Amino acid sequence: MTGIRSLAVVSRRALASLGAALAVAFIALSPGAALAGDGDRQVSKMRVTIATGTDDLRNASNAVATLKYTNASGNQLVAGGNLNNGAQWPGGSTKTVTIPMPVGIVLSRLLEFSIQFTSGQPDIFATGDNWNMNSITVTAILDDGSEANLVVQADSPWLHRFQSDYHTRWATPL
């Protein structure tokens, strides 16, 4: 009987040690914990503020913002969203849009910010749209609530003129 009790005590101790080792391994290998230990922050949202110049972003046209980044496995991915959802941005207006980001985008692994413009035609008689972007500010909102400016650019008469069939993409490295 004594031998069986000793085996039971050893088994409980071994099981407790194994459980503790697995818990430590799980915490050490989980991306969130590893990143927090590295002192790097995850991007939870992207806030984009754009000033439109004299040529508006027409109804039915779309401006899509994307962040290109490298994930923990070394793959390059993109995340983003539609800024105007087909709504008009009048000439001389300033619009701010906040886009939620998927989990796993790390501030130090951001590669590029871009806007892809698609000209829309609200009716069959409308010509292709052009849009003047005078300035842009892109801010990363981090998982701890702090913020980091990624892009702050402006130019005159415009920073970039998107045209219906060319110059449809604007990008800047981060």
Side-chain angles (χ1 to χ4, degrees):
M1 195 77 141
T2 306
I4 294 175
R5 282 189 186 167
S6 297
L7 183 58
V9 170
V10 170
S11 294
R12 278 188 244 140
R13 286 183 186 160
L15 187 57
S17 295
L18 179 61
L22 288 174
V24 169
F26 179 76
I27 290 170
L29 295 177
S30 67
L35 296 174
D38 293 342
D40 209 348
R41 305 304 327 164
Q42 290 193 36
V43 178
S44 60
K45 298 175 190 169
M46 171 177 59
R47 185 173 56 232
V48 181
T49 302
I50 295 177
T52 295
T54 55
D55 200 342
D56 70 337
L57 178 59
R58 189 185 298 163
N59 182 28
S61 293
N62 286 284
V64 176
T66 58
L67 277 177
K68 184 180 356 178
Y69 65 98
T70 304
N71 69 4
S73 302
N75 299 317
Q76 288 189 6
L77 303 172
V78 295
N82 195 317
L83 295 172
N84 69 317
N85 292 311
Q88 179 191 24
W89 285 3
S93 67
T94 299
K95 301 291 184 178
T96 299
V97 178
T98 301
I99 302 169
M101 293 285 104
V103 174
I105 299 177
V106 179
L107 184 62
S108 65
R109 294 183 181 175
L110 297 178
L111 303 172
E112 177 187 79
F113 173 82
S114 66
I115 293 180
Q116 180 66 49
F117 168 75
T118 305
S119 173
Q121 292 180 271
D123 60 63
I124 61 170
F125 301 106
T127 59
D129 189 20
N130 299 320
W131 171 43
N132 293 348
M133 179 176 70
N134 283 11
S135 68
I136 184 166
T137 300
V138 181
T139 304
I141 302 169
L142 307 178
D143 59 349
D144 66 353
S146 63
E147 298 182 357
N149 280 335
L150 303 177
V151 179
V152 179
Q153 293 187 24
D155 207 347
S156 182
W158 56 74
L159 176 62
H160 186 80
R161 179 170 171 78
F162 295 94
Q163 295 180 297
S164 61
D165 52 359
Y166 58 99
H167 301 297
T168 59
R169 185 174 188 271
W170 178 85
T172 188
L174 302 175

